[in-house]
């Protein structure tokens, strides 16, 4: 049974969002929410409760600490008998490698922006295309779950900015050029895909656009 809604939520503000040098000091997966991030997650839980009411929910959560902490704040607003949840490693953030020098990180960010975020592979890490591949693999699990007669009313995915963009790219069959037009959602922004009468999903949330170079906008000629 396809859910009424598929909802994507980016984690709350993390230590690494505030201090980019944190990537050089500790493993990315251990970055925790700031106090502001905890408040954002609390507010997201309240907003989600208003949207879903007493409907049943299946949560899929990235195992990174900031995503788990976000889930802990969100889920406080729901009856535990109404929810299911599982950690899903394929929903983790794009892996940033093991760069320990902040100056190198700055130069790498510039190179990535110039080259294109989808194709550029971070040293010892991943490209956006790599994230797309594992998100695509996750879709097999998601669709099998949706075939269950007892699947909950809604599916909520708590994950990361790049992962959300590649999820939407895969779901709506965006081109790479379309993908590059959009920015990551804000921390704890709630993106709602709602099922239409024909069982297709419509994205209700307006996405923020990026300023991208003309190299990403080559038209298709056929």
């Amino acid at each position: 049974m396809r859910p009424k809604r598929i909802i994507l939520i980016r984690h709350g503000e993390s230590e690494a969002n505030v201090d980019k040098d944190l990537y050089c000091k500790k493993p990315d997966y251990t970055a925790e929410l700031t106090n502001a991030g905890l408040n954002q997650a609390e507010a997201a839980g309240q907003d989600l409760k208003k949207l879903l009411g007493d409907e049943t929910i299946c949560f899929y959560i990235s195992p990174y600490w900031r995503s788990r902490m976000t889930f802990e704040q969100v889920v406080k607003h729901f009856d535990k008998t109404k929810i299911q949840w599982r950690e899903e490693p394929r929903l983790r953030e794009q892996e940033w490698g093991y760069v320990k020098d902040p100056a190198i990180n700055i130069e790498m960010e510039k190179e990535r922006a110039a080259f294109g975020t989808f194709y550029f592979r971070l040293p010892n890490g991943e490209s956006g295309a790599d994230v797309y591949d594992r998100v695509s693999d996750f879709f097999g699990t998601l669709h099998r779950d949706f075939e269950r007669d007892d699947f909950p009313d809604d599916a909520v995915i708590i994950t990361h900015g790049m992962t959300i963009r590649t999820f939407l790219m895969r779901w709506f069959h965006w081109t790479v050029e379309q993908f590059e037009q959009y920015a990551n959602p804000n921390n704890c922004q709630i993106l709602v895909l709602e099922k239409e009468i024909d069982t297709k999903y419509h994205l209700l949330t307006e996405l923020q656009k990026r300023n991208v170079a003309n190299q990403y906008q080559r038209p298709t000629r056929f």
Side-chain angles (χ1 to χ4, degrees):
M1 182 183 72
R2 284 195 167 197
K4 297 178 182 178
R5 304 173 191 85
I6 302 170
I7 296 173
L8 306 168
I9 304 177
R10 186 184 175 193
H11 62 81
E13 180 188 82
S14 74
E15 299 170 304
N17 293 140
V18 174
D19 178 12
K20 292 287 187 182
D21 291 349
L22 192 76
Y23 291 119
C24 305
K25 303 171 186 175
K26 63 188 296 187
D28 185 16
Y29 74 88
T30 66
E32 300 185 24
L33 295 187
T34 62
N35 287 334
L38 289 169
N39 291 335
Q40 290 170 343
E42 169 73 18
Q46 294 174 2
D47 291 341
L48 194 65
K49 178 63 176 178
K50 291 176 184 176
L51 176 64
L52 304 185
D54 292 326
E55 294 178 357
T56 55
I57 308 169
C58 182
F59 286 92
Y60 299 87
I61 310 155
S62 160
Y64 280 25
W65 294 4
R66 53 192 180 271
S67 301
R68 287 157 55 183
M69 293 175 72
T70 300
F71 168 69
E72 289 165 2
Q73 296 300 312
V74 168
V75 80
K76 291 191 303 184
H77 298 277
F78 294 90
D79 182 343
K80 302 302 187 294
T81 66
K82 297 278 190 177
I83 68 166
Q84 303 171 17
W85 68 277
R86 69 187 71 169
E87 287 190 1
E88 176 47 70
R90 287 170 294 184
L91 293 174
R92 68 189 184 277
E93 178 60 293
Q94 179 181 10
E95 295 181 358
W96 280 77
Y98 307 101
V99 176
K100 298 298 182 183
D101 185 337
I104 294 176
N105 266 347
I106 292 172
E107 291 304 313
M108 187 173 63
E109 284 269 23
K110 292 178 180 177
E111 184 178 354
R112 178 172 177 257
F115 190 88
T117 58
F118 188 77
Y119 292 118
F120 183 84
R121 178 173 284 114
L122 299 158
N124 299 312
E126 291 183 305
S127 66
D130 294 322
V131 180
Y132 177 92
D133 288 344
R134 56 177 161 81
V135 167
S136 295
D137 189 68
F138 167 66
F139 271 36
T141 298
L142 202 61
H143 288 304
R144 284 192 295 273
D145 287 350
F146 289 174
E147 289 174 1
R148 289 170 26 209
D149 291 336
D150 62 345
F151 190 80
D153 298 317
D154 303 287
V156 177
I157 298 170
I158 299 180
T159 182
H160 308 267
M162 172 64 80
T163 312
I164 288 174
R165 277 202 290 151
T166 54
F167 184 102
L168 294 172
M169 180 185 183
R170 178 68 175 79
W171 191 274
F172 292 112
H173 307 289
W174 291 348
T175 64
V176 174
E177 288 79 11
Q178 288 173 308
F179 166 85
E180 293 285 7
Q181 290 178 17
Y182 295 109
N184 286 346
N186 296 324
N187 293 114
C188 276
Q189 183 176 356
I190 297 174
L191 285 74
V192 180
L193 285 68
E194 189 166 79
K195 187 171 65 175
E196 304 284 346
I197 296 175
D198 60 3
T199 74
K200 292 184 178 180
Y201 286 84
H202 176 65
L203 180 62
L204 301 183
T205 311
E206 185 175 353
L207 300 176
Q208 182 178 349
K209 292 289 189 77
R210 299 171 58 219
N211 292 321
V212 294
N214 291 333
Q215 70 200 59
Y216 305 141
Q217 305 303 316
R218 185 181 187 276
T220 300
R221 297 186 177 92
F222 61 83

